[in-house]
Amino acid sequence: ENHPKVAMLYNSIAKDLAKRGNQNAALDLSSKAVKIQLMNSREDHPDLAKIYITMADLLKTQSKYHDAAEFCDKALAIRSKVFGEGHPFVDELLQKRSEL
């Protein structure tokens, strides 16, 4: 249950729950995914950035823009370090961040 693949599965399920309107359950599951991923990988792992993006999206839908921005910034830091400035993954997050 504490394997990184489980964290990514939780993240996928959280996205599905959010699409179905169950934001609170989605947020809880994403929080679990973050904890599992942090137990098993570096703080700059690209999969952690994916989970942070999900968290940012969920918080944005709840109008928690400040919290969403914090997770977006964490994801942006990881992707900038891993992929470099100007990479499409970084540019995508810069756009998302500007909308918060």
Side-chain angles (χ1 to χ4, degrees):
E1 182 171 305
N2 289 327
H3 193 277
K5 288 185 180 182
V6 173
M8 295 312 296
L9 178 62
Y10 281 173
N11 192 55
S12 294
I13 294 170
K15 289 180 191 179
D16 188 55
L17 287 169
K19 287 179 187 174
R20 297 170 186 255
N22 197 341
Q23 301 296 325
N24 291 332
L27 202 53
D28 289 343
L29 209 51
S30 285
S31 294
K32 285 182 181 180
V34 167
K35 290 176 187 172
I36 293 169
Q37 193 67 38
L38 284 172
M39 285 191 309
N40 290 286
S41 65
R42 308 176 319 269
E43 290 185 10
D44 63 350
H45 194 282
D47 284 347
L48 187 57
K50 291 178 185 178
I51 300 169
Y52 285 155
I53 293 166
T54 300
M55 295 285 290
D57 290 342
L58 291 168
L59 291 162
K60 181 181 176 185
T61 62
Q62 295 180 348
S63 300
K64 296 179 181 177
Y65 300 110
H66 177 76
D67 295 335
E70 287 182 14
F71 280 103
C72 193
D73 289 344
K74 288 179 180 185
L76 185 57
I78 293 169
R79 285 193 167 177
S80 293
K81 181 177 180 180
V82 172
F83 299 110
E85 299 296 322
H87 190 280
F89 288 161
V90 175
D91 293 344
E92 170 192 353
L93 276 180
L94 287 170
Q95 177 63 37
K96 184 181 293 275
R97 180 61 173 92
S98 71
E99 297 169 0
L100 298 172

